[in-house]
Amino acid sequence: MRQSQSMTNEILRMASRSCCCSARPAVIAIMPAAPGRGHETDLLLCGHHFRASRDALQVAGASVYDRAGTPVVVPARVLLAAS
């Protein structure tokens, strides 16, 4: 089940640190269900780790939202590299 935008905003607002480091999260990446994991998974990523993981998130089909709940658009260079 996809989270509502208000729930996504609330998660980012209340989180004091990212999943990957002690920095405050800049985005929430919602990973789709996958073999061996039958449910979506949220990743709270700081700006640095989001930029470093952007290509892998795109390939995995993750939905990414910023602190305002706005979908983060993947740059065309990532889409071209994946095709």
Side-chain angles (χ1 to χ4, degrees), residues 24-45:
R24 188 170 176 111
V27 300
I28 184 168
I30 303 172
M31 300 294 292
R37 188 186 70 241
H39 56 84
E40 292 180 334
T41 300
D42 300 343
L43 297 174
L44 302 175
L45 299 173

Side-chain angles (χ1 to χ4, degrees), residues 19-79:
C19 295
C20 51
C21 68
S22 60
R24 188 170 176 111
V27 300
I28 184 168
I30 303 172
M31 300 294 292
R37 188 186 70 241
H39 56 84
E40 292 180 334
T41 300
D42 300 343
L43 297 174
L44 302 175
L45 299 173
C46 69
H48 164 77
H49 284 104
F50 168 62
R51 287 187 298 277
S53 304
R54 191 179 304 192
D55 294 350
L57 292 168
Q58 172 67 28
V59 170
S63 300
V64 182
Y65 301 90
D66 66 15
R67 295 188 66 79
T70 305
V72 175
V73 178
V74 178
R77 68 170 181 80
V78 175
L79 296 176

